[in-house]
Amino acid sequence: MNGGNGCHSYVQNSHFQRALLHAAKDVITEAIVEKVDITNPWFNSSSTLRVADFGCSVGPNTFIVVQNIIEALELLYRSKQHNPEIPEFHVFFNDHVHNDFNTLFRSLPFSHRYFAAGVPGSFHDRLFPKSTLHIVHASYALHWLSQVPTQLADRNSPAWNKGRIHGLGATSKEVREAFSAQFGKDLQAFLNARARELVGGGLMLLLVSALPNEFHSSQTNSAIVLDLLGSCLIDMAKMGIISEDNVDSFNLPIYRTCPGELEAFIEKNGHFKIEKMEELSNPVRRDPPDFQMLSSHLRATFEGALEEHFGNEIMDELFDRFTNKIGENSHIIYDQQYIKEIEIFISLKHTVTDYEV
């Protein structure tokens, strides 16, 4: 994600994700109030409760969800105790090592009711000691893969993804299977790491970008938009601005799972019980078309990956072309028949039953 506070930053262009976090407040509160057992010694009110947000980016969205979690925990302790003692809270903000943690902590809300710390590193790896976290959260994060499947850039592989820069709704079975396998591997790594880090009875709250079950068409809003971005790169290659080989070797490390696949991967892992799994509605999807806003959102999200591969010299021209193409194809992009993407809320409970502290 783009750091800083400038016009192309994630801070200024993450309203879509923010809207879902507001929409998820009630289900997060419900999950914590109904599924956290404060008689569990790990959740003793005299102890410090530790919350981690994985894939926090640079704010302010992470502060919204953390505040929702803290308020839900405070409500839980007040409602379940005759003389409530509210525990202290320690919140850990995690993202990769290149994340702009300076911007994140400069924008930390003045009135926050928790101790805060940054934890750089990949959430596909262990980041905390055993049994130290009580609540884990991740939103719009798990669709990011640890790497692009290697066979996508192999000209001799049936999964070679020539002509496309992504695998969302891929029409090729080989491309779909390559992305699905990488997602499954990454999700298992994520779940295994969190299973070690969460206390017995700890809760994990996930918001996941997905597609409906058995839906493989490339004719989705997000796939169409990324195809337009890819076509801008192809146009620039034809003009000699960048090389065609450089375009063919580039793929975004993202994948949209479906509810059935996600549920199967979680059950296969075996460390967590699915307490709740439901589809949420993001109100932004009903907003009037805004070409510049969409282009700026994609730039804030993907410019880092594009710049690493192509260099920063072409970014302004690339996204100028992209904005124009969005305008030219708005009748398709904003056609409701292509808006198939869904958001899933999942509440998982660590299945360890040994509550000994």
Side-chain angles (χ1 to χ4, degrees):
M1 305 299 172
N2 280 352
N5 290 289
C7 61
H8 302 312
S9 67
Y10 187 76
V11 169
Q12 301 295 333
N13 297 284
S14 55
H15 69 288
F16 182 89
Q17 295 89 334
R18 191 174 310 131
L20 183 64
L21 294 178
H22 285 302
K25 180 176 181 178
D26 288 345
V27 292
I28 286 176
T29 300
E30 178 184 295
I32 290 174
V33 171
E34 293 185 0
K35 299 303 179 181
V36 171
D37 178 11
I38 64 173
T39 66
N40 173 356
W42 285 111
F43 285 86
N44 191 302
S45 60
S46 63
S47 303
T48 298
L49 297 193
R50 288 172 291 274
V51 177
D53 185 27
F54 290 90
C56 67
S57 192
V58 295
N61 296 352
T62 185
F63 303 133
I64 295 171
V65 73
V66 164
Q67 187 61 33
N68 291 344
I69 291 171
I70 297 300
E71 289 177 357
L73 287 167
E74 291 175 336
L75 174 63
L76 170 66
Y77 281 89
R78 289 194 181 102
S79 64
K80 297 293 179 69
Q81 293 180 333
H82 179 64
N83 295 308
E85 179 185 359
I86 306 300
E88 291 187 316
F89 302 104
H90 194 175
V91 175
F92 299 93
F93 297 95
N94 157 260
D95 214 309
H96 59 77
V97 296
H98 301 295
N99 187 58
D100 186 359
F101 284 99
N102 288 331
T103 293
L104 175 72
F105 283 101
R106 276 197 297 266
S107 57
L108 189 68
F110 179 76
S111 59
H112 64 279
R113 302 192 297 275
Y114 50 83
F115 298 95
V119 181
S122 169
F123 58 51
H124 296 112
D125 299 326
R126 281 279 304 276
L127 294 168
F128 296 91
K130 180 182 177 182
S131 301
T132 53
L133 301 178
H134 297 81
I135 305 290
V136 160
H137 172 268
S139 63
Y140 280 116
L142 294 182
H143 65 285
W144 285 97
L145 304 178
S146 63
Q147 64 177 48
V148 173
T150 55
Q151 56 267 52
L152 266 68
D154 182 356
R155 294 174 180 271
N156 298 315
S157 169
W160 186 33
N161 204 29
K162 179 177 173 58
R164 301 192 84 199
I165 64 169
H166 66 94
L168 301 184
T171 54
S172 162
K173 176 184 176 183
E174 290 79 10
V175 172
R176 288 201 308 271
E177 289 178 347
F179 271 104
S180 176
Q182 186 64 52
F183 174 76
K185 178 181 178 181
D186 287 346
L187 183 62
Q188 294 306 312
F190 177 85
L191 294 174
N192 287 337
R194 305 297 83 80
R196 297 287 290 172
E197 296 163 350
L198 272 164
V199 301
L203 207 61
M204 182 146 59
L205 310 169
L206 306 175
L207 289 167
V208 180
S209 183
L211 290 171
N213 286 326
E214 305 302 324
F215 188 86
H216 300 308
S217 172
S218 61
Q219 295 300 295
T220 66
N221 172 272
S222 53
I224 291 169
V225 167
L226 290 180
D227 280 341
L228 289 176
L229 181 59
S231 72
C232 294
L233 289 168
I234 292 172
D235 291 344
M236 294 171 75
K238 290 178 179 177
M239 296 173 64
I241 299 172
I242 54 178
S243 73
E244 184 177 347
D245 285 345
N246 217 17
V247 176
D248 288 341
S249 63
F250 178 74
N251 283 274
L252 290 166
I254 55 174
Y255 173 75
R256 276 200 170 93
T257 185
C258 65
E261 180 183 60
L262 183 59
E263 183 176 2
F265 280 141
I266 293 170
E267 291 179 347
K268 178 183 177 182
N269 179 264
H271 291 303
F272 296 92
K273 176 187 176 184
I274 300 176
E275 297 287 356
K276 190 168 191 176
M277 187 173 185
E278 67 174 279
E279 183 178 335
L280 296 182
S281 175
N282 192 325
V284 172
R285 292 200 187 279
R286 300 189 294 271
D287 284 357
D290 188 324
F291 314 146
Q292 185 59 58
M293 184 180 295
L294 177 58
S295 178
S296 295
H297 169 75
L298 270 290
R299 182 167 186 168
T301 304
F302 296 125
E303 185 172 20
L306 288 159
E307 188 175 292
E308 183 179 350
H309 191 82
F310 295 101
N312 61 8
E313 297 84 3
I314 71 163
M315 291 299 114
D316 286 342
E317 180 176 352
L318 172 62
F319 282 96
D320 284 345
R321 291 172 176 271
F322 181 50
T323 302
N324 291 334
K325 286 206 175 190
I326 292 174
E328 294 166 1
N329 294 272
S330 61
H331 60 291
I332 299 174
I333 295 171
Y334 294 101
D335 190 324
Q336 290 297 311
Q337 70 173 311
Y338 299 121
I339 301 179
K340 301 297 184 182
E341 296 83 358
I342 60 176
E343 282 76 43
I344 306 171
F345 170 75
I346 314 161
S347 172
L348 303 176
K349 195 165 189 176
H350 193 200
T351 53
V352 172
T353 56
D354 181 5
Y355 287 171
E356 182 180 351
V357 179

